[in-house]
Amino acid sequence: MNAETNRPPALGFASDNIAGASPEVAQALVNHSTGQAGAYGSDELSLQVKLKLSEIFERDVEVLLVPTGTAANSLCLSAMTPPWGNIYCHPSSHINNDECGAPEFFSGAKLITIDGPSARLDVERLRDRSREKVGDVHTTQPACVSITQATEVGSLYNLDEIGAIGEVCKANALGYHMDGSRFANALVSLGCTPAQMTWKAGVDALSFGATKNGALAAEAIVLFNPALASELNIRRKRSGHLLSKMRFLSAQMDAYLSDDLWLRNARQANDAARRLASGLAGLKGVEVQGETEANILFCKLDSAIIQALLKAGFGFYHDRWGANIVRFVTSFATTSEDVDHLLKHVRQVVSTLHA
Amino acid sequence: MNAETNRPPALGFASDNIAGASPEVAQALVNHSTGQAGAYGSDELSLQVKLKLSEIFERDVEVLLVPTGTAANSLCLSAMTPPWGNIYCHPSSHINNDECGAPEFFSGAKLITIDGPSARLDVERLRDRSREKVGDVHTTQPACVSITQATEVGSLYNLDEIGAIGEVCKANALGYHMDGSRFANALVSLGCTPAQMTWKAGVDALSFGATKNGALAAEAIVLFNPALASELNIRRKRSGHLLSKMRFLSAQMDAYLSDDLWLRNARQANDAARRLASGLAGLKGVEVQGETEANILFCKLDSAIIQALLKAGFGFYHDRWGANIVRFVTSFATTSEDVDHLLKHVRQVVSTLHA
Amino acid sequence: MNAETNRPPALGFASDNIAGASPEVAQALVNHSTGQAGAYGSDELSLQVKLKLSEIFERDVEVLLVPTGTAANSLCLSAMTPPWGNIYCHPSSHINNDECGAPEFFSGAKLITIDGPSARLDVERLRDRSREKVGDVHTTQPACVSITQATEVGSLYNLDEIGAIGEVCKANALGYHMDGSRFANALVSLGCTPAQMTWKAGVDALSFGATKNGALAAEAIVLFNPALASELNIRRKRSGHLLSKMRFLSAQMDAYLSDDLWLRNARQANDAARRLASGLAGLKGVEVQGETEANILFCKLDSAIIQALLKAGFGFYHDRWGANIVRFVTSFATTSEDVDHLLKHVRQVVSTLHA
Amino acid sequence: MNAETNRPPALGFASDNIAGASPEVAQALVNHSTGQAGAYGSDELSLQVKLKLSEIFERDVEVLLVPTGTAANSLCLSAMTPPWGNIYCHPSSHINNDECGAPEFFSGAKLITIDGPSARLDVERLRDRSREKVGDVHTTQPACVSITQATEVGSLYNLDEIGAIGEVCKANALGYHMDGSRFANALVSLGCTPAQMTWKAGVDALSFGATKNGALAAEAIVLFNPALASELNIRRKRSGHLLSKMRFLSAQMDAYLSDDLWLRNARQANDAARRLASGLAGLKGVEVQGETEANILFCKLDSAIIQALLKAGFGFYHDRWGANIVRFVTSFATTSEDVDHLLKHVRQVVSTLHA
């Protein structure tokens, strides 16, 4: 039994989207479900969210709430590129692999992949690529860059790296987008301010994720370049992402930002991943890969361990990124007990195997 | 003070989207916010919703949940027309006026308006138009029809009219879509079954609205033509409308469909509109227009009455559809006291004016 | 036998696109078919065409040659509207009826029809419509206007009318496009200068047609607003309309503009239409409709006359615009003998019928 | 002076699109420029071209003529993929690099590059890639393959390779497109039949190029899968590529296919390239790269040679594909004298440098 939550240990480590919502977020929906409020974002709460995000980012920001990260990413990108533009991104980025071409659908543009280690695009390659064939009508043209922070494999760009890409964008008149689906996880890990991780490093538009980190379904497009706002307001409606009862997105985001819930949730998820990494380190047949900087952990496990865990009911992805490679994802809802329960099983298998 | 709800009378009659959510719906979100569940619709609750809707419609249906009506409409239409297709709809339809070209964005197709009284498209004109220039490569080609039930002005198609349009669709190989943003309001008013109002009359795809009638943000695409499902599953993701934590849409819809909440809510809204119509009838300076079949009421009011009501804080649209024309919209949250409070004000102004 | 051309009289009056090409245009292709020349418009001849058009329009213009009128129209429009823009045009315009949605495909925008007599859009209705719901994200937004000169029924906008629409465009920040598929026919009929009929009246972009009036397949996009050029250069390539051996479009256009060939051809077509109108006037069972301002003539003919002409092999459209309504189109290749031959047949039928 | 053509030697080797047209093609335009003919492809000549191509390909084929190769490619691809489809192609393919995103614009689909030596995509990698994530709504889906024959670097797929890709397409229900911009050059080099190089190896749709090989501007979409025809007829119009005076495309194609002109032209171009390769082989400071299979030759030249040739007025691309790498392209219009003139200059520089 789980002391923190009074429930049996959770077995799912497949993704942070299998978790539910923080109680504060769910309760906020109940609290705001009565009474009349202006539709389509004209309510008080929506204004309040904008003010809160402006405070958090230490400057006036424009905010558009949408229900999914794919919508946030695709909308941002569509406002930063013409249909014949190039969007530079990492080959393993979510926008390239996991959104079924939504960025292309919203923008018409072409995704050009720029490789680099640990799902971070290489700034030198980006610089070279973004200077090719500029002005040549036979070729799609440089338009913008999108990075994911934390990345799809849980690694982080440090502030220098974010800034270096910002320099390339500035020098070549490229828009700069950050997919912050796991923004909070990256932030608490780096220990910097939201401003440092974004606009101070040149970022124009941010997909500020809340869903994976405690909301039901709520993401904020945060614009540091206010010129993008009016077009995005139209594009949001035109793509069906303007909610009539907008207060229900606002209520989630408001609760998420209140009392540092978003930061506390991210710390819990990251702590759980690190606890898991520590527990796995040094076990026979287990090889933790890379650093565990956010809430995602990759490791190589003996087939026997993988099979035993699956048999015990644990959920996780494996053998997608290579033979015997396993990915564990923790979330705001993952407790120490959940982690220890998993670790106990691993240790049992290991000791059985090597008895 | 409002006996039913223990709150002061509500002053807003501008739209049914200024209401909040039914307590049952809000509570369902809390109930389902803990524990792990499969993402992207692989959860139990999503399956349950599909079964409930199949029961309600008396046949197996395919169901896709999305957060907005614009998404539901645009997705349905995009699966029923090629980019060079014609979508026939009424000039005053929501898809033509109020979705910022979302149907065109999703489909590439052209909206061809077919006029008719009370926001209902005329079946004879539709028949003629859908036979023009078939096969001529110089012209966009007949593809599908979309009707709104209840219409944007609160009127209804009767079953014969829905069926007659269905015949035209069948005869000319057109897809048939129903925008059921206010489906429940129409249903309880006609007193027929959901099956009669849809697939038995030839409808292929339905936008089954819940948001205006008690949900926070949840609409179901209900497919009677299952061949549309696999394409729509992809299109939903590609447009950013596949929620990762799908259970939160499912929870709303499940609560909405439980214990006839959706029907009770619709009856309350319709009753409120009729109560308002009855109360206004015969007052000097007041002219109720058309029948009040669902939850929307149009009337002509003396300017002095309009001004007095606005001054008293009431909210509603006026002078959009003609001089002195006022639209009142009621909702599941509108009580008798709310209506009587409004009526009291009207009567006061009338008696003052004609004293 | 035809004295001017040494061939039997032509029987086709269905359209000006059934004619071939002026000998000067065809010969120019032969003359320029040898030797090497820069590709994609970097040849001398393309520069020369730009200079000729600048002289003709009495100012520097940007020129992009394309093979079809649909391409010219759609490209111009796509550069003057965002995907959520409204393109205002007449219901009977070519872009609305006869291009299979090409303007929508190239731009994403919505065509909003503005009615008016004789295929000319009404400036007052345009003014009203272009001021509706500006800035409302729920609705597609005013973007540009497209008129056809000469219109699809052969009527003309006079200079005041073109200018009045230009005023509306200026006042409401709308782009202004002219579909000049029959530009020369309109010009020689009005007896004004090309400048007066376009940029002096506020036109931003012109589809300057040559194909119907003596070229094989060549249209010039003429830009009075040079800011549109760089985007259009990309859009032309992206839509497959940038010819590698561009000199073959340039050669046609160069020959077309040399020695007033374009004006002479248009006069011949217009004269033929007027000769036909005069010859038909007053005949029993024949009713010429409207004025014959360019090279298109509408008339009402007794069924017996229509049948007799068809039987004699004449080609023309009839009963499309109403019962017994016939459209005759003349071209640069229509001779007096061709017209007289047709008239002779009409008179014969008339005299037989009324003998 | 050039004995074959009675003109000074041509200095341009930059591309085959700097050449003009074969005299037979140009003359055909003159021949067909008088008289009336049905518009939009309803003329006799268009039918004749279809019959000729059916004979050449030894089966009934559907034919659509268009003015550019980019149009031919993009149209074919758009009919073989839904907007969420993957188009597999080589990284250096024309559709990926040189059409400004036209394939994406026409189709909405995503280009997925499959590498391989000499601009030929590797069939094993294709097989693997086309089986990934099939049916997963999060990812764009396998739809079709496009190969270029001859490739963009002048290399060839042999019949086995074309057939092996055809097998992959068949096994995975992928459409199969061939960009035959230099189809004739490949055909005469392989010495096989048109049928063997296309539908017998599984190809569904071919962009049959004529422009580079002697036409002014004419390409044929040749469909071996007739099911694609009706959609393509609409798409051609919708993209502005349906010429009203279609006979002018037909006349070019008819002349091109008559008396083996297309094959003779291709042989002349290939012979010239081989003559050039032979002449360069073994010269000091010159390194011919790969085999010269069609009309494109790559070589590495000492900088001094490059500079001297440029100074002498020769035109060619260099240093695009690597330091000192030079590309020479010959055409139907390149004579032995042209080649010898170039060779003479190279030899002179070489002898001067190494004197």
Side-chain angles (χ1 to χ4, degrees):
Chain A
M1 197 54 69
N2 200 313
E4 298 175 39
T5 59
N6 201 26
R7 56 159 171 80
L11 302 178
F13 291 85
S15 175
D16 29 16
N17 59 31
I18 61 171
S22 285
E24 297 90 329
V25 171
Q27 191 55 44
L29 288 173
V30 174
N31 298 346
H32 289 283
S33 66
T34 54
Q36 297 186 325
Y40 300 113
S42 62
D43 57 296
E44 296 273 313
L45 208 52
S46 293
L47 177 61
Q48 193 168 314
V49 164
K50 182 185 144 106
L51 295 177
K52 273 194 179 162
L53 282 165
S54 292
E55 197 185 314
I56 285 169
F57 283 97
E58 303 173 50
R59 59 172 285 174
D60 278 355
V61 294
E62 293 289 335
V63 174
L64 293 93
L65 300 178
V66 291
T68 70
T70 294
N73 288 339
S74 300
L75 283 169
C76 284
L77 292 170
S78 70
M80 302 173 88
T81 174
W84 50 87
N86 291 334
I87 299 172
Y88 301 104
C89 61
H90 194 275
S92 65
S93 61
H94 200 263
I95 61 170
N96 191 45
N97 295 315
D98 301 303
E99 301 187 352
C100 198
E104 289 95 333
F105 171 51
F106 281 66
S107 70
K110 191 175 178 92
L111 270 58
I112 303 283
T113 57
I114 307 284
D115 215 338
S118 294
R120 293 189 303 259
L121 58 82
D122 182 86
V123 67
E124 294 306 325
R125 288 184 208 177
L126 171 67
R127 182 178 290 119
D128 292 348
R129 201 68 164 80
S130 66
R131 289 174 178 172
E132 280 176 16
K133 297 191 179 178
V134 176
D136 177 351
V137 300
H138 296 266
T139 314
T140 51
Q141 292 293 304
C144 65
V145 178
S146 179
I147 67 169
T148 312
Q149 174 80 328
T151 73
E152 289 75 8
V153 302
S155 63
L156 301 181
Y157 289 89
N158 65 35
L159 293 189
D160 285 350
E161 289 165 333
I162 300 171
I165 292 169
E167 291 295 323
V168 173
C169 289
K170 202 175 161 186
N172 298 284
L174 304 175
Y176 192 0
H177 169 251
M178 178 180 282
D179 175 354
S181 163
R182 295 186 180 96
F183 185 84
N185 303 89
L187 188 77
V188 299
S189 181
L190 284 186
C192 63
T193 67
Q196 286 173 319
M197 206 164 85
T198 55
W199 63 272
K200 288 190 175 174
V203 172
D204 295 304
L206 167 68
S207 300
F208 179 84
T211 307
K212 288 182 196 295
N213 193 36
L216 291 71
E219 311 278 308
I221 294 174
V222 179
L223 300 175
F224 309 111
N225 176 353
L228 302 171
S230 77
E231 181 174 327
L232 273 172
N233 270 300
I234 285 199
R235 286 186 180 273
R236 178 174 58 173
K237 172 63 199 175
R238 184 170 167 81
S239 59
H241 287 289
L242 177 62
L243 267 60
S244 56
K245 297 180 175 176
M246 182 64 85
R247 61 170 131 166
F248 291 122
L249 285 187
S250 305
Q252 292 181 67
M253 193 57 74
D254 185 64
Y256 181 70
L257 298 175
S258 295
D259 304 320
D260 287 345
L261 175 62
W262 66 300
L263 300 173
R264 286 184 283 124
N265 276 358
R267 278 190 204 107
Q268 169 135 353
N270 289 5
D271 288 351
R274 264 197 308 272
R275 185 181 187 94
L276 183 55
S278 302
L280 291 173
L283 292 181
K284 218 160 179 173
V286 175
E287 191 184 309
V288 176
Q289 302 202 314
E291 284 187 70
T292 305
E293 301 180 279
N295 64 324
I296 301 177
L297 178 154
F298 280 86
C299 56
K300 194 167 188 173
L301 298 186
D302 278 358
S303 297
I305 306 178
I306 294 175
Q307 293 312 316
L309 291 177
L310 292 172
K311 203 174 162 189
F314 288 98
F316 49 87
Y317 286 106
H318 60 96
D319 293 271
R320 272 198 171 189
W321 299 267
N324 290 356
I325 300 297
V326 166
R327 187 189 80 170
F328 292 116
V329 185
T330 57
S331 82
F332 71 95
T334 311
T335 62
S336 316
E337 281 85 350
D338 295 336
V339 171
D340 293 345
H341 183 70
L342 170 60
L343 283 172
K344 194 181 68 181
H345 271 78
V346 177
R347 278 194 224 99
Q348 281 177 350
V349 189
V350 170
S351 65
T352 310
L353 285 171
H354 302 280
Chain B
M1 198 54 69
N2 199 314
E4 298 175 39
T5 59
N6 202 25
R7 56 159 172 78
L11 302 178
F13 292 85
S15 175
D16 29 15
N17 59 32
I18 62 173
S22 285
E24 296 90 332
V25 172
Q27 190 55 45
L29 289 174
V30 174
N31 298 347
H32 290 284
S33 66
T34 54
Q36 297 186 326
Y40 300 114
S42 61
D43 57 296
E44 296 273 314
L45 208 52
S46 293
L47 177 60
Q48 192 168 315
V49 164
K50 181 185 146 108
L51 295 177
K52 274 194 178 160
L53 282 165
S54 293
E55 198 185 313
I56 286 169
F57 282 96
E58 303 173 52
R59 59 172 285 173
D60 277 357
V61 294
E62 293 289 335
V63 174
L64 293 94
L65 299 178
V66 292
T68 68
T70 295
N73 288 340
S74 300
L75 284 168
C76 284
L77 292 170
S78 70
M80 301 173 89
T81 174
W84 50 87
N86 291 335
I87 300 171
Y88 301 103
C89 62
H90 194 274
S92 65
S93 61
H94 199 264
I95 61 170
N96 190 46
N97 295 315
D98 301 303
E99 302 187 351
C100 199
E104 289 96 333
F105 171 51
F106 280 65
S107 70
K110 190 175 178 90
L111 270 59
I112 304 284
T113 56
I114 307 284
D115 214 339
S118 294
R120 293 189 304 258
L121 58 81
D122 182 87
V123 67
E124 294 307 326
R125 288 185 208 176
L126 172 66
R127 182 178 293 119
D128 293 348
R129 200 68 165 80
S130 65
R131 290 175 178 171
E132 280 176 16
K133 296 191 178 177
V134 176
D136 177 351
V137 301
H138 296 267
T139 314
T140 50
Q141 292 293 303
C144 65
V145 178
S146 179
I147 66 169
T148 312
Q149 174 81 329
T151 72
E152 289 76 7
V153 302
S155 62
L156 301 180
Y157 289 89
N158 64 35
L159 294 188
D160 284 350
E161 289 165 332
I162 300 172
I165 293 170
E167 292 295 323
V168 173
C169 290
K170 203 175 163 187
N172 298 285
L174 304 175
Y176 192 0
H177 169 251
M178 179 181 282
D179 175 353
S181 163
R182 295 186 180 96
F183 186 84
N185 302 88
L187 189 76
V188 299
S189 182
L190 285 186
C192 62
T193 68
Q196 287 173 321
M197 206 165 84
T198 55
W199 63 272
K200 287 189 174 173
V203 172
D204 295 304
L206 167 69
S207 301
F208 180 84
T211 307
K212 288 183 196 295
N213 193 36
L216 290 71
E219 311 277 309
I221 293 173
V222 179
L223 299 176
F224 309 111
N225 176 352
L228 302 172
S230 77
E231 181 175 324
L232 273 173
N233 270 300
I234 285 199
R235 285 186 180 273
R236 177 174 59 175
K237 173 63 198 176
R238 184 168 167 81
S239 60
H241 288 289
L242 178 61
L243 265 61
S244 56
K245 298 179 175 177
M246 182 63 85
R247 62 170 128 166
F248 291 122
L249 284 187
S250 305
Q252 292 181 67
M253 194 57 75
D254 185 64
Y256 180 70
L257 298 175
S258 296
D259 305 319
D260 287 345
L261 175 62
W262 65 301
L263 300 172
R264 287 183 282 124
N265 277 358
R267 278 189 204 107
Q268 169 135 354
N270 288 5
D271 288 350
R274 264 198 307 273
R275 185 183 189 93
L276 184 55
S278 303
L280 290 173
L283 292 182
K284 213 155 181 177
V286 175
E287 192 184 310
V288 176
Q289 303 202 313
E291 284 187 69
T292 303
E293 300 180 280
N295 64 322
I296 301 178
L297 179 154
F298 280 85
C299 54
K300 194 165 188 174
L301 299 186
D302 277 359
S303 298
I305 305 177
I306 295 175
Q307 293 312 317
L309 291 176
L310 292 171
K311 202 173 163 189
F314 289 98
F316 50 87
Y317 286 106
H318 60 96
D319 294 86
R320 271 199 170 187
W321 299 267
N324 289 357
I325 302 296
V326 166
R327 187 189 80 171
F328 292 115
V329 186
T330 58
S331 82
F332 71 95
T334 310
T335 62
S336 315
E337 280 85 350
D338 294 337
V339 171
D340 293 346
H341 184 69
L342 170 59
L343 284 171
K344 195 182 67 183
H345 272 77
V346 177
R347 278 193 224 101
Q348 281 176 351
V349 189
V350 170
S351 64
T352 310
L353 285 171
H354 302 280
Chain C
M1 196 55 69
N2 200 313
E4 297 175 40
T5 60
N6 202 26
R7 56 161 171 79
L11 301 179
F13 291 84
S15 175
D16 30 15
N17 59 30
I18 61 171
S22 285
E24 297 89 331
V25 172
Q27 190 55 45
L29 289 173
V30 174
N31 298 347
H32 289 284
S33 67
T34 55
Q36 297 187 325
Y40 300 113
S42 63
D43 57 295
E44 296 273 314
L45 207 51
S46 293
L47 178 60
Q48 192 168 315
V49 164
K50 182 185 143 107
L51 295 177
K52 273 195 179 162
L53 282 165
S54 292
E55 198 184 314
I56 286 169
F57 283 95
E58 303 173 50
R59 58 173 283 173
D60 277 355
V61 294
E62 293 289 333
V63 174
L64 293 93
L65 299 178
V66 292
T68 69
T70 295
N73 288 340
S74 299
L75 284 168
C76 284
L77 293 170
S78 70
M80 300 173 88
T81 174
W84 51 85
N86 291 335
I87 300 171
Y88 300 104
C89 62
H90 194 275
S92 65
S93 61
H94 200 264
I95 61 170
N96 190 46
N97 295 316
D98 302 303
E99 302 187 351
C100 198
E104 289 95 333
F105 172 50
F106 280 65
S107 70
K110 191 175 179 89
L111 270 57
I112 303 283
T113 56
I114 307 284
D115 215 339
S118 294
R120 294 189 303 258
L121 59 81
D122 181 86
V123 68
E124 294 307 324
R125 290 184 206 177
L126 171 67
R127 181 178 291 119
D128 292 347
R129 201 68 165 79
S130 65
R131 289 174 178 172
E132 280 176 16
K133 297 191 179 180
V134 176
D136 176 351
V137 301
H138 296 266
T139 314
T140 51
Q141 293 292 303
C144 66
V145 178
S146 179
I147 66 169
T148 312
Q149 175 81 331
T151 73
E152 289 75 7
V153 301
S155 63
L156 301 181
Y157 290 89
N158 65 35
L159 294 188
D160 284 349
E161 289 165 331
I162 300 172
I165 293 170
E167 292 295 322
V168 173
C169 290
K170 202 175 164 187
N172 297 285
L174 304 174
Y176 192 0
H177 169 251
M178 179 181 282
D179 175 353
S181 162
R182 296 188 179 93
F183 186 84
N185 302 90
L187 189 76
V188 300
S189 182
L190 284 186
C192 63
T193 68
Q196 287 173 319
M197 206 165 84
T198 56
W199 63 272
K200 287 190 174 174
V203 172
D204 294 306
L206 167 69
S207 300
F208 179 85
T211 307
K212 287 183 197 296
N213 193 36
L216 290 71
E219 310 278 307
I221 294 174
V222 179
L223 300 175
F224 309 111
N225 177 352
L228 302 171
S230 77
E231 180 174 326
L232 273 173
N233 269 300
I234 285 198
R235 286 186 180 272
R236 179 174 58 174
K237 172 64 199 176
R238 184 169 168 80
S239 59
H241 287 289
L242 177 61
L243 266 61
S244 56
K245 297 180 176 175
M246 182 63 85
R247 62 170 128 167
F248 291 122
L249 285 187
S250 305
Q252 291 180 66
M253 193 58 74
D254 185 64
Y256 180 70
L257 298 175
S258 296
D259 304 320
D260 287 344
L261 175 62
W262 66 299
L263 300 173
R264 285 184 283 125
N265 277 357
R267 277 188 205 108
Q268 169 136 355
N270 289 5
D271 288 352
R274 264 198 307 272
R275 184 183 190 94
L276 184 55
S278 303
L280 291 173
L283 292 182
K284 214 156 183 179
V286 174
E287 193 184 307
V288 176
Q289 301 202 314
E291 284 188 68
T292 304
E293 301 180 281
N295 63 323
I296 301 178
L297 179 154
F298 280 86
C299 55
K300 193 165 189 175
L301 299 186
D302 277 358
S303 299
I305 305 178
I306 294 176
Q307 293 312 317
L309 291 177
L310 293 172
K311 201 171 163 190
F314 288 97
F316 50 88
Y317 286 106
H318 61 95
D319 292 272
R320 272 199 170 188
W321 299 267
N324 290 355
I325 302 297
V326 166
R327 188 189 79 171
F328 292 116
V329 185
T330 58
S331 82
F332 70 95
T334 310
T335 62
S336 315
E337 280 85 350
D338 295 336
V339 172
D340 293 345
H341 183 69
L342 170 60
L343 284 171
K344 193 181 66 182
H345 271 76
V346 177
R347 277 193 225 102
Q348 280 175 352
V349 189
V350 170
S351 64
T352 310
L353 286 171
H354 302 280
Chain D
M1 197 54 69
N2 199 313
E4 298 174 40
T5 60
N6 200 26
R7 58 160 171 78
L11 301 179
F13 291 85
S15 175
D16 30 14
N17 58 31
I18 61 172
S22 285
E24 296 89 331
V25 172
Q27 189 56 44
L29 289 174
V30 174
N31 298 347
H32 289 284
S33 66
T34 53
Q36 297 187 324
Y40 300 113
S42 62
D43 56 296
E44 296 273 312
L45 208 51
S46 293
L47 177 61
Q48 192 168 314
V49 164
K50 181 184 145 106
L51 296 178
K52 274 196 179 161
L53 282 165
S54 292
E55 198 185 315
I56 285 169
F57 282 96
E58 302 173 50
R59 59 172 284 174
D60 278 357
V61 293
E62 293 289 335
V63 174
L64 293 93
L65 300 178
V66 292
T68 70
T70 294
N73 288 339
S74 300
L75 283 169
C76 284
L77 293 169
S78 71
M80 302 173 88
T81 175
W84 50 86
N86 290 335
I87 299 171
Y88 300 104
C89 61
H90 194 275
S92 66
S93 61
H94 199 265
I95 61 170
N96 191 45
N97 295 316
D98 302 303
E99 302 187 351
C100 198
E104 289 95 334
F105 171 50
F106 280 65
S107 70
K110 190 174 178 91
L111 270 58
I112 303 283
T113 57
I114 307 283
D115 215 339
S118 294
R120 293 189 304 257
L121 58 82
D122 182 86
V123 68
E124 294 306 326
R125 289 184 207 177
L126 171 67
R127 182 178 290 118
D128 292 348
R129 201 68 164 81
S130 65
R131 289 172 179 175
E132 279 176 17
K133 298 191 179 178
V134 176
D136 176 350
V137 301
H138 296 266
T139 313
T140 50
Q141 293 293 304
C144 66
V145 178
S146 179
I147 67 169
T148 312
Q149 175 82 330
T151 73
E152 289 75 7
V153 301
S155 63
L156 302 180
Y157 289 89
N158 65 35
L159 293 189
D160 284 350
E161 290 165 331
I162 300 172
I165 293 170
E167 292 295 322
V168 173
C169 290
K170 203 175 163 186
N172 298 285
L174 303 175
Y176 192 178
H177 169 250
M178 178 181 281
D179 176 354
S181 162
R182 295 186 180 95
F183 185 85
N185 302 89
L187 189 77
V188 300
S189 183
L190 285 186
C192 63
T193 68
Q196 287 174 320
M197 206 163 86
T198 55
W199 63 272
K200 288 189 173 173
V203 172
D204 294 305
L206 167 69
S207 300
F208 179 84
T211 307
K212 287 182 196 296
N213 193 37
L216 290 71
E219 311 277 308
I221 295 174
V222 180
L223 299 176
F224 309 111
N225 177 352
L228 301 172
S230 77
E231 181 174 326
L232 273 173
N233 270 300
I234 285 198
R235 286 187 179 272
R236 178 173 58 174
K237 173 62 199 177
R238 185 169 167 80
S239 59
H241 287 289
L242 177 62
L243 266 60
S244 56
K245 298 179 175 175
M246 182 64 84
R247 62 170 130 167
F248 291 121
L249 285 187
S250 305
Q252 292 180 65
M253 193 57 74
D254 184 66
Y256 180 70
L257 297 175
S258 296
D259 304 320
D260 286 345
L261 175 63
W262 65 299
L263 300 172
R264 287 184 282 125
N265 277 358
R267 278 188 204 107
Q268 169 135 354
N270 288 6
D271 289 352
R274 265 199 307 273
R275 185 183 189 95
L276 184 56
S278 304
L280 291 174
L283 292 182
K284 212 155 185 180
V286 175
E287 192 183 310
V288 176
Q289 302 202 314
E291 284 189 70
T292 304
E293 300 180 281
N295 63 322
I296 302 178
L297 178 155
F298 280 86
C299 55
K300 194 167 189 175
L301 299 186
D302 277 358
S303 298
I305 304 178
I306 294 175
Q307 293 312 315
L309 290 177
L310 292 172
K311 202 172 162 190
F314 288 98
F316 50 87
Y317 285 107
H318 60 97
D319 292 270
R320 272 199 168 187
W321 299 267
N324 290 355
I325 301 297
V326 166
R327 187 189 80 172
F328 292 116
V329 186
T330 57
S331 81
F332 71 94
T334 310
T335 62
S336 316
E337 280 86 350
D338 294 336
V339 171
D340 293 346
H341 183 68
L342 170 59
L343 284 171
K344 193 182 68 183
H345 272 76
V346 177
R347 277 192 225 99
Q348 280 176 354
V349 188
V350 170
S351 64
T352 310
L353 286 171
H354 302 281

